[in-house]
């Protein structure tokens, strides 16, 4: 193992305290810190030390794919790390978004090659399923809820112009596509008034509170209304949200460890000043009810849990060691990234020992052996999901 240095992405919705506190830096940070990236995505690759210089993990993988990735990973994914580990820290809502499945990503990326850059939706040919494990209490919007419930919620605002949307929702899941299209293509001249009418409607409850909060942050944005069609989810530390392809979602607030397939393909549906391609979003979305997006941890071994997901791009384990369990051995095949979430850890995979403090990470190659963790703390271990 060797130390891995991840870049921090300074998006406006980020926290000025969460990642800085995790890493033991002064609070507040100079800028909002939204995401710590720990991987080899070309958009913001992590680095390692080589003779006093920082070298991109991307370059190391390309130079020695057999050593770093292993034959099985190269055969399945090519000469790239198929997963990206992040720390996500949200003090404000992220954009409503969905991600394509593998076929949609390949076709979309190929089609975008002939389009001007400003009109492209797909930056790579890969899918982007993702798992988010809460470090703090987190709130999110995840997938469509029962459209009959959404119709009741919107009707309670008492806004007559929403009647066509209510009619679509009362048709059940078959009407979800029409409802979303109506909301996202509402005439711009009337959109501000509609969002304002919903946000200022009398009444309480979580949905009214959500509409007011989102409208204050994104006045006139149709995503304020689309958000009311989604499940509002609260998860405690250790619980996770699984977002497969085609599910509209937005993280509202909180801090978590996120692992995903290494892609940056995002189709946005609102709560953003960025481009929204309604037609492409509707083509990618799954218009079905998502009954329960929450994934509970599963015990693997003493001190070790995982959150099972149905993809082979990644797997995530949490390992806890301490006085009662001073050392844990985790059998792994393929490349691995270890993030220290708390305490102090020593990690060793036979290629080298690395001491980790909170917020520090290490990377190890496929050529290494089992991962040994000792000390007193908590680690999140990202690896490939290949068996």
């Amino acid at each position: 193992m060797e130390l891995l240095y991840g870049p921090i992405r300074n998006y406006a919705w980020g926290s000025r305290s969460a990642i800085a506190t995790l890493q033991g830096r002064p609070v507040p940070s100079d800028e909002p810190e939204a995401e710590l990236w720990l991987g080899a995505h070309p958009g913001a690759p992590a680095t390692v030390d080589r003779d006093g210089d920082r070298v991109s993990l991307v370059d190391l993988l390309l130079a020695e794919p057999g050593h770093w990735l292993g034959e099985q990973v190269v055969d399945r994914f090519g000469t790239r790390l198929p997963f990206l580990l992040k720390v996500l820290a949200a003090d404000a809502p992220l954009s409503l978004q969905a991600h394509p499945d593998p076929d949609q990503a390949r076709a979309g990326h190929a089609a975008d090659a002939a389009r001007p850059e400003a009109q492209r939706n797909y930056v790579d040919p890969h899918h982007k399923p993702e798992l988010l494990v809460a470090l703090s209490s987190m709130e999110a919007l995840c997938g469509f809820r029962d459209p009959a419930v959404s119709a009741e919620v919107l009707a309670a605002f008492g806004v007559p112009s929403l009647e066509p949307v209510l009619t679509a929702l009362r048709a059940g899941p078959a009407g979800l596509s029409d409802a979303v299209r109506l909301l996202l293509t509402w005439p711009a001249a009337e959109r501000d008034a509609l969002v304002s009418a919903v946000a200022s409607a009398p009444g309480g409850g979580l949905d009214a509170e959500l509409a007011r909060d989102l409208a204050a942050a994104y006045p006139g944005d149709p995503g304020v209304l689309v958000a009311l069609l989604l499940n509002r989810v609260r998860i405690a530390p250790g619980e996770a949200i699984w977002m497969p392809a085609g599910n509209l979602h937005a993280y509202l607030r909180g801090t978590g460890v996120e692992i995903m397939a290494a892609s940056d393909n995002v189709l946005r549906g609102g709560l953003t000043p960025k481009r929204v391609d309604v037609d492409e979003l509707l083509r990618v979305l799954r218009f079905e009810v998502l009954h329960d997006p929450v994934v509970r941890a599963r015990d693997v071994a003493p001190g070790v849990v995982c959150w099972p997901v149905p993809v082979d791009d990644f797997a995530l384990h949490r390992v806890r060691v301490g006085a009662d369990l001073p050392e844990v051995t985790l059998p792994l095949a393929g490349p691995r990234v270890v993030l220290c979430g708390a305490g102090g850890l020593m990690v060793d995979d036979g290629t080298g020992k690395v001491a980790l403090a909170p917020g520090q990470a290490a990377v190890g190659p496929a050529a290494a052996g089992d991962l040994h963790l000792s000390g007193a703390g908590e680690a999140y271990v990202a690896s490939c999901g290949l068996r």
Side-chain angles (χ1 to χ4, degrees), residues 41 78 102 196 210 250 297 347 351:
H41 191 281
S196 178
L210 176 64
V347 293
T351 66

Side-chain angles (χ1 to χ4, degrees), residues 18-383:
I19 296 177
T21 298
L22 175 65
Q23 295 185 326
R25 293 184 284 108
V27 173
S29 55
D30 293 336
E31 299 179 79
E33 296 179 338
E35 295 178 343
L36 170 65
W37 284 32
L38 297 167
H41 191 281
T47 59
V48 298
D49 282 328
R50 284 292 182 274
D51 300 323
D53 292 325
R54 294 282 176 88
V55 177
S56 166
L57 188 56
V58 173
D59 294 337
L60 293 183
L61 301 185
L62 291 174
E64 297 181 277
H67 171 74
W68 280 100
L69 298 171
E71 182 179 349
Q72 187 181 21
V73 172
V74 172
D75 287 346
R76 172 67 177 84
F77 299 104
T79 55
R80 64 185 188 93
L81 190 66
F83 60 84
L84 173 60
L85 184 67
K86 296 181 180 179
V87 177
L88 181 147
D91 266 2
L94 283 67
S95 61
L96 280 173
Q97 58 189 265
H99 310 299
D101 66 26
D103 290 339
Q104 291 166 339
R106 283 191 292 269
H109 187 251
D112 273 358
R115 299 187 179 113
E117 186 172 350
Q119 297 177 16
R120 295 175 185 172
N121 294 305
Y122 298 92
V123 298
D124 58 60
H126 308 298
H127 70 159
K128 192 189 175 189
E130 57 192 38
L131 177 80
L132 179 75
V133 178
L135 291 177
S136 70
S137 176
M138 293 199 71
E139 294 184 57
L141 303 172
C142 301
F144 291 110
R145 62 183 169 191
D146 185 339
V149 174
S150 296
E152 291 181 11
V153 168
L154 291 185
F157 288 103
V159 178
S161 56
L162 284 175
E163 191 59 39
V165 179
L166 302 183
T167 299
L169 292 172
R170 287 167 180 152
L176 274 171
S177 176
D178 289 339
V180 174
R181 182 179 288 277
L182 283 168
L183 292 173
L184 291 181
T185 59
W186 210 274
E190 304 170 17
R191 188 181 299 155
D192 286 0
L194 175 63
V195 174
S196 178
V198 170
S200 61
L206 292 177
D207 290 295
E209 174 194 349
L210 176 64
R212 287 192 289 269
D213 289 348
L214 294 180
Y218 301 97
D221 192 313
V224 173
L225 305 180
V226 176
L228 300 175
L229 310 185
L230 306 180
N231 296 296
R232 188 171 183 180
V233 175
R234 289 180 172 85
I235 58 172
E239 293 183 319
I241 294 170
W242 162 243
M243 279 291 101
N247 279 273
L248 196 61
H249 62 283
Y251 304 124
L252 299 178
R253 59 182 59 85
T255 304
V257 172
E258 187 177 29
I259 188 168
M260 61 191 65
S263 169
D264 208 18
N265 283 325
V266 179
L267 284 303
R268 295 178 177 85
L271 308 183
T272 178
K274 296 181 179 180
R275 176 172 172 267
V276 175
D277 185 332
V278 174
D279 290 336
E280 187 64 17
L281 175 68
L282 294 177
R283 192 180 72 83
V284 164
L285 284 181
R286 292 182 179 176
F287 291 103
E288 58 194 25
V289 176
L290 183 63
H291 293 286
D292 187 8
V294 178
V295 180
R296 278 80 184 180
R298 177 184 296 177
D299 291 333
V300 174
V304 183
V305 301
C306 72
W307 296 265
V309 293
V311 296
D312 58 8
D313 305 72
F314 60 80
L316 184 67
H317 292 83
R318 186 190 67 207
V319 180
R320 287 175 171 168
V321 291
D324 295 334
L325 187 66
E327 182 172 350
V328 166
T329 297
L330 187 62
L332 290 176
R336 68 289 308 263
V337 173
V338 180
L339 167 70
C340 180
L345 300 169
M346 183 69 70
V347 293
D348 180 11
D349 63 359
T351 66
K353 295 182 179 181
V354 175
L356 296 179
Q360 289 187 314
V363 62
D370 293 345
L371 182 65
H372 304 278
L373 301 100
S374 59
E378 178 178 272
Y380 290 86
V381 182
S383 61

